[in-house]
């Protein structure tokens, strides 16, 4: 039996109000009385939609196009308009960039954050790597939280939503191992709220494509969006792109490694699984999410170059097909008929690419032999599988050669330590330290290289960062 949209809304108890206000499910036509607002050029027969349509003056002008000359593509010089000016600009809105922006703002600096996707969290949310690992140290059989500051604040906020959205230990006491899985949509909202509370200028759908440079000094960044190429002038830049894109564009030194590339899927109706008694579980069961309906994971890893669009594209296709085949196989297996893919990651999981040449690079040897000797500690990486918790040096986020630029996140360390530095909690921690240093440097009018560690330590203390 077919029913009208009006009847459908009435069955939900929304009929009159929904029709009157133009509310709808999806992007379907809804009858609405009234006329278009003055100046609208929308369809008068579809006021619900047409009331949003107004003419605009052209907001962009195209410059001279690239051209071929002697077989080479030449791009003419053009002026890049200044879009914004600030004290600190952070490029990349993953856990590192989010923490950098919040912590820089808390030093009193004006901060802008540039992010290529439409939400914060990077591989944590858009990549659906949902577990916050490497948060704690273990001593004498007891756990202690060492990744404090913004990371702890974020986890506690997520925990308030309840176990369906965050599997934080209950109670979240100091002697428990914190490694919660957080619902990606809840995480995005929390990050939006914290960015707004700290008055960070947020620019989504914007991809950092160049730096503004005077010798070795970085003076800001150029980003690309639907508005074309525009510039942000800043006293300090924090590179949280994950791939050290800003460092690369500034001529900084780095090494490059391959990585395992995968993409994550989330399965729904995992609480309906009811295989026949005695049957062997062919597929993975629930997992570590708080929500019993959901499970997240990936189909496998492909070794590749995290900067190669061919490798990234091939991995997207390969793992999407593999997941689809897995789900079809599940649904044809007794007891698994209701499982389906609820969503797939919008950001592919390239775990590393460029690793910066920092003033002090912490590989596994340095971590094991020298962590206890570090006197410029900016925070801790917690326990990660076989690796103990360790201190991180300020010099690890300070690149050689380039001034007024700090780096945080998965571009740190060496090939044998990146598997710790890339994890969510260490990204929060290194991002917060970079944001604090950038904010202080901007206020003092000096390069981050010239900051006294005592000033950094005092600011970290003020933001509840553990760095003993």
């Amino acid at each position: 039996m077919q029913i009208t949209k009006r009847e459908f809304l009435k069955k939900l108890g929304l009929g009159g109000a929904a029709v009157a206000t133009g509310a709808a499910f999806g992007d379907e036509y809804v009858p609405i009385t009234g006329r278009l607002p003055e100046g609208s050029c929308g369809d008068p027969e579809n006021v619900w939609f047409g009331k949003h349509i107004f003419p605009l003056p052209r907001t962009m002008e195209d410059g001279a196009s690239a051209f071929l000359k002697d077989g080479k593509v030449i791009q003419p010089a053009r002026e890049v308009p200044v879009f914004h000016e600030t004290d600190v600009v952070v490029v990349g809105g993953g856990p590192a960039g989010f923490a950098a922006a919040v912590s820089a703002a808390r030093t009193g600096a004006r901060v802008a954050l540039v992010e290529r996707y439409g939400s914060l969290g990077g591989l944590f949310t858009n990549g659906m790597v949902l577990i916050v690992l490497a948060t704690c140290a273990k001593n004498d059989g007891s756990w202690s939280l060492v990744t404090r500051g913004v990371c702890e604040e974020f986890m506690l906020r997520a925990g308030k939503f309840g176990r369906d959205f965050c599997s934080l230990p209950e109670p979240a006491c100091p002697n428990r191992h914190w490694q919660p899985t957080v619902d990606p949509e809840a995480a995005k909202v929390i990050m939006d709220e914290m960015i707004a509370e700290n008055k960070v200028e947020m620019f989504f759908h914007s991809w950092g494509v160049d730096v503004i440079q005077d010798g070795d000094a970085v003076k800001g960044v150029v980003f690309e969006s639907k508005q074309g190429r525009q510039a942000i002038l800043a006293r300090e830049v924090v590179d949280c792109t994950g791939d050290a894109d800003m460092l690369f564009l500034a001529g900084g030194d780095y090494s490059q490694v391959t990585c395992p590339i995968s993409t994550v899927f989330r399965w729904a109706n995992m609480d309906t699984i009811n295989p026949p008694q005695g049957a062997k579980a062919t597929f993975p069961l629930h997992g570590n999410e708080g929500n019993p309906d959901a499970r997240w994971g990936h189909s496998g890893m492909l070794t590749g170059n995290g900067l190669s669009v061919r490798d990234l594209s091939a991995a997207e296709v390969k793992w999407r097909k593999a997941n689809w085949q897995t789900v079809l196989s599940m649904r044809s297996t007794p007891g698994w008929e209701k499982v389906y893919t609820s969503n797939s990651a919008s950001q592919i999981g390239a775990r590393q690419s460029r690793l910066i040449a920092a003033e002090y690079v912490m590989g596994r040897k340095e971590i094991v032999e020298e962590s206890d000797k570090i006197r410029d500690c900016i925070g801790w990486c917690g326990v990660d599988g076989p690796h103990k918790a360790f201190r991180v040096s300020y010099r690890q986020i300070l690149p050689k050669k380039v001034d007024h630029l700090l780096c945080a996140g998965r571009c740190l360390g060496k090939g044998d330590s990146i598997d710790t530095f890339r994890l969510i909690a260490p990204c929060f921690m290194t991002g917060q330290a970079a944001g604090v240093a950038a904010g202080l440097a901007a206020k003092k009018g000096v390069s981050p290289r010239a900051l006294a560690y005592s000033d950094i330590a005092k600011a970290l203390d003020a933001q509840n960062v553990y760095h003993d």
Side-chain angles (χ1 to χ4, degrees):
M1 180 183 71
Q2 292 185 333
I3 62 174
T4 67
K5 173 60 86 53
R6 184 185 296 269
E7 290 170 334
F8 173 65
L9 291 172
K10 283 183 176 179
K11 285 180 178 291
L12 296 178
L14 300 173
V19 173
T21 61
F25 295 91
D27 209 12
E28 302 174 41
Y29 168 70
V30 176
I32 183 171
T33 59
R35 304 173 63 180
L36 290 176
E38 185 177 351
S40 170
C41 56
D43 183 356
E45 298 301 319
N46 187 2
V47 177
W48 167 73
F49 187 79
K51 66 183 180 181
H52 300 285
I53 313 300
F54 294 85
L56 279 176
R58 297 196 326 185
T59 57
M60 296 169 56
E61 294 295 334
D62 182 36
S65 297
F67 58 90
L68 281 169
K69 183 177 180 180
D70 301 327
K72 297 178 181 179
V73 178
I74 307 297
Q75 188 170 39
R78 66 173 69 176
E79 179 183 352
V80 178
V82 175
F83 174 75
H84 187 62
E85 295 188 39
T86 190
D87 294 326
V88 176
V89 60
V90 180
V91 184
F98 160 73
V102 168
S103 59
R106 288 176 176 175
T107 69
R110 297 172 300 145
V111 182
L113 176 54
V114 175
E115 164 56 36
R116 62 174 167 160
Y117 293 102
S119 54
L120 294 170
L123 284 173
F124 177 35
T125 57
N126 298 321
M128 295 198 304
V129 183
L130 305 179
I131 189 167
V132 186
L133 292 173
T135 62
C136 294
K138 190 176 186 181
N139 294 296
D140 299 324
S142 180
W143 292 100
S144 60
L145 183 67
V146 292
T147 307
R148 307 289 297 276
V150 171
C151 185
E152 180 183 14
E153 180 180 346
F154 169 85
M155 289 189 289
L156 289 173
R157 286 191 180 212
K160 291 179 180 178
F161 285 119
R163 290 195 61 82
D164 279 0
F165 296 97
C166 176
S167 60
L168 196 68
E170 294 181 0
C173 55
N175 62 347
R176 299 289 296 273
H177 190 188
W178 292 33
Q179 46 181 6
T181 293
V182 182
D183 177 84
E185 302 309 317
K188 292 173 188 178
V189 170
I190 294 168
M191 290 181 172
D192 283 345
E193 290 175 346
M194 291 177 69
I195 286 292
E197 290 165 6
N198 288 279
K199 297 180 172 56
V200 173
E201 291 268 14
M202 184 69 244
F203 304 123
F204 287 122
H205 306 291
S206 303
W207 193 308
V209 294
D210 206 351
V211 295
I212 304 160
Q213 206 164 351
D214 182 6
D216 291 332
V218 175
K219 301 290 187 179
V221 300
V222 176
F223 71 95
E224 184 131 25
S225 71
K226 283 292 186 180
Q227 291 180 250
R229 287 199 170 195
Q230 296 172 293
I232 297 177
L233 301 180
R235 295 175 182 270
E236 306 297 333
V237 176
V238 184
D239 185 342
C240 297
T241 60
D243 298 310
D245 289 335
M246 299 299 104
L247 174 91
F248 166 74
L249 293 165
D253 290 337
Y254 65 93
S255 59
Q256 190 172 336
V257 293
T258 60
C259 69
I261 303 173
S262 58
T263 191
V264 173
F265 300 88
R266 213 170 184 212
W267 300 334
N269 279 344
M270 294 300 288
D271 55 345
T272 69
I273 294 170
N274 186 29
Q277 188 172 5
K280 184 179 178 181
T282 308
F283 308 108
L285 296 172
H286 169 60
N288 57 15
E289 290 211 33
N291 186 346
D293 174 70
R295 186 188 187 279
W296 67 277
H298 59 79
S299 299
M301 297 181 184
L302 180 71
T303 300
N305 176 356
L307 302 177
S308 164
V309 293
R310 285 192 168 90
D311 285 4
L312 296 174
S313 299
E316 292 272 21
V317 174
K318 178 181 177 70
W319 298 133
R320 189 156 41 240
K321 181 178 180 180
N323 174 73
W324 183 246
Q325 291 173 335
T326 297
V327 170
L328 290 180
S329 183
M330 282 182 177
R331 292 175 64 85
S332 65
T333 302
W336 298 74
E337 294 90 348
K338 294 184 179 181
V339 174
Y340 67 96
T341 301
S342 59
N343 53 322
S344 57
S346 58
Q347 183 173 341
I348 194 166
R351 289 161 173 80
Q352 62 256 10
S353 55
R354 298 188 187 99
L355 303 176
I356 71 166
E359 292 291 347
Y360 175 60
V361 180
M362 300 186 68
R364 192 56 56 190
K365 181 177 184 295
E366 289 77 16
I367 289 168
V368 172
E369 298 179 5
E370 301 177 17
S371 174
D372 292 342
K373 304 173 187 176
I374 287 173
R375 296 294 175 263
D376 60 348
C377 178
I378 53 171
W380 285 67
C381 290
V383 171
D384 168 36
H387 306 309
K388 294 182 179 180
F390 62 91
R391 294 176 178 84
V392 177
S393 166
Y394 175 57
R395 292 162 289 159
Q396 175 63 90
I397 66 173
L398 196 62
K400 292 181 177 180
K401 290 175 54 175
V402 183
D403 281 329
H404 300 284
L405 177 73
L406 290 145
C407 298
R410 63 178 175 86
C411 60
L412 305 182
K414 297 181 181 178
D416 60 0
S417 60
I418 184 59
D419 205 42
T420 298
F421 277 112
R422 72 176 179 86
L423 297 174
I424 305 304
C427 285
F428 270 110
M429 180 271 293
T430 58
Q432 180 159 15
V436 164
L440 292 179
K443 290 174 65 179
K444 292 176 178 292
V446 300
S447 168
R449 203 179 308 281
L451 286 174
Y453 174 69
S454 58
D455 289 336
I456 298 172
K458 183 178 179 180
L460 291 173
D461 287 337
Q463 296 194 16
N464 195 34
V465 174
Y466 178 72
H467 60 98
D468 288 348

